[in-house]
Amino acid sequence: MSTYIPLNGSAINFNVTIDDWASILNYANPSDWETPDPQSPALATTPWLEGTWHKTGVVNASITLNFEGPAIYIFGASGPQYGSYAITVDGTEWTYSAYAATNASNYLLYGNPNLSYGNHQLEIRNLGAFQATDHGASAFLLDYILATVQLGPQGTTVTNTTVEDNNPSVTYSGTWTSQSNALFSGGTSMETVQQGGSASLSFTGTAVYIFGDSANNQGSYSVVLDSGPPQTYNTLLGCGGGTSNLCQKTQPSLKYYASNLNSSQHTITVTNNANPSGASFNLDRFVYTTPSVYAPVNVSATSNSTFVSPTSTGSTSSTSAPKASSASRL
């Protein structure tokens, strides 16, 4: 059991936005979920973050996320079609209901600012019409998640540096082709279908992020930071809801992030596993954060960090919980 290290409210903290299309989310069975066509122009007028959501009516359909930090917030929907769901953090489970007489978006399903600063495992699981108060409703909808990271001590200034896909500091291995779209940062991205095709960047900073587009012709990829073990992710997401044969969200989503890094130089490498055969990987940009003062938190390598119960849940939408906004995103 690691020592409880709470959120330092006076430090420079940042809420990382994890959209429902972010491939660091693991949908246990993607076919259990549906999402609107991310290419539809109608999404520009919806209340959902970047216009998309993932929704299921399948009991026990689940999503998992591994994250490091002292706080997590989950946003989705409540209304007459939504039932119960379970939130599990590091083996401790809470059960809530999203049922309500009227529909609400940007709804705080779960919020916990009292986690220990450490490594955590999150699971979200649909329970369907689990309680009498669900009135037979069985759906669950995820919009986005916010995970808090600490970038430096109080008074620190931080700078975000965006490294575009065509920046010469990015080293490519294998065959990559340039893609153009106005939604890409800088207007371009790089894509590979080669197994083992990789992109690397060396940087100095306390946090690093990778972004790229998502599509159902992509597969698994691995990320290695410094000498750490490979972290493998899968871009397979629910593509129901009347989408076209190619279900693609061109606006880049988060593919990896790491924080709490020290002041030494770091190297990050992302590799396409091309699994299934011929699956592609798309890289839009790297972003890294450099603080004026480094003060990484000494966290345990284990994930069994002590924490206290959440202060806000799906019973009410807390006004103190952060919300995603374009101003605070990378």
Side-chain angles (χ1 to χ4, degrees):
M1 187 71 71
S2 61
T3 302
Y4 176 66
I5 306 172
L7 171 69
N8 182 353
S10 65
I12 305 302
N13 298 302
F14 178 73
N15 291 311
V16 179
T17 300
I18 304 169
D19 185 55
D20 64 292
W21 272 74
S23 48
I24 62 173
L25 295 174
N26 178 39
Y27 291 83
N29 186 355
S31 64
D32 287 344
W33 299 82
E34 62 176 298
T35 186
D37 185 348
Q39 303 281 15
S40 172
L43 297 187
T45 60
T46 71
W48 314 108
L49 183 68
E50 297 182 358
T52 63
W53 40 257
H54 270 68
K55 179 181 176 182
T56 185
V58 178
V59 174
N60 289 325
S62 65
I63 310 165
T64 55
L65 170 69
N66 294 325
F67 69 98
E68 180 185 272
I72 192 82
Y73 305 89
I74 305 169
F75 293 86
S78 68
Q81 62 180 303
Y82 302 107
S84 291
Y85 57 95
I87 303 294
T88 303
V89 181
D90 301 336
T92 299
E93 182 178 284
W94 294 273
T95 300
Y96 307 109
S97 176
Y99 178 85
T102 58
N103 287 310
S105 58
N106 208 18
Y107 181 79
L108 181 64
L109 296 164
Y110 174 85
N112 196 336
N114 299 311
L115 297 169
S116 175
Y117 205 120
N119 302 303
H120 303 285
Q121 288 86 44
L122 167 72
E123 182 189 59
I124 306 168
R125 184 164 53 92
N126 182 39
L127 298 178
F130 182 71
Q131 308 174 71
T133 52
D134 295 328
H135 300 279
S138 60
F140 175 84
L141 184 147
L142 173 69
D143 189 9
Y144 65 94
I145 296 173
L146 298 180
T148 304
V149 298
Q150 183 175 307
L151 301 178
Q154 184 177 16
T156 301
T157 57
V158 295
T159 302
N160 290 322
T161 300
T162 299
V163 182
E164 301 289 0
D165 61 287
N166 55 6
N167 190 302
S169 61
V170 179
T171 302
Y172 290 97
S173 174
T175 302
W176 293 72
T177 58
S178 181
Q179 311 288 316
S180 297
N181 193 290
L183 291 175
F184 294 144
S185 176
T188 64
S189 69
M190 293 288 281
E191 187 167 283
T192 183
V193 296
Q194 181 176 334
Q195 184 177 23
S198 66
S200 299
L201 174 72
S202 293
F203 68 96
T204 302
T206 191
V208 63
Y209 313 84
I210 300 175
F211 294 88
D213 80 359
S214 301
N216 61 357
N217 63 353
Q218 298 179 5
S220 69
Y221 62 94
S222 299
V223 180
V224 173
L225 179 61
D226 297 330
S227 58
Q231 304 294 314
T232 301
Y233 304 92
N234 199 318
T235 55
L236 292 177
L237 302 169
C239 281
T243 60
S244 60
N245 290 332
L246 177 59
C247 179
Q248 182 176 19
K249 183 171 182 283
T250 307
Q251 183 167 348
S253 296
L254 185 66
K255 296 207 168 198
Y256 176 84
Y257 80 98
S259 64
N260 203 38
L261 306 178
N262 61 32
S263 60
S264 63
Q265 186 180 67
H266 305 281
T267 299
I268 188 168
T269 300
V270 57
T271 302
N272 182 34
N273 296 331
N275 183 20
S277 179
S280 64
F281 177 84
N282 179 276
L283 173 66
D284 180 49
R285 68 192 185 276
F286 295 93
V287 178
Y288 63 89
T289 303
T290 306
S292 58
V293 177
Y294 285 84
V297 180
N298 184 20
V299 300
S300 170
T302 67
S303 59
N304 296 318
S305 299
T306 303
F307 58 93
V308 300
S309 297
T311 57
S312 54
T313 70
S315 58
T316 58
S317 187
S318 170
T319 56
S320 62
K323 299 291 178 67
S325 69
S326 58
S328 64
R329 302 185 66 195
L330 296 167

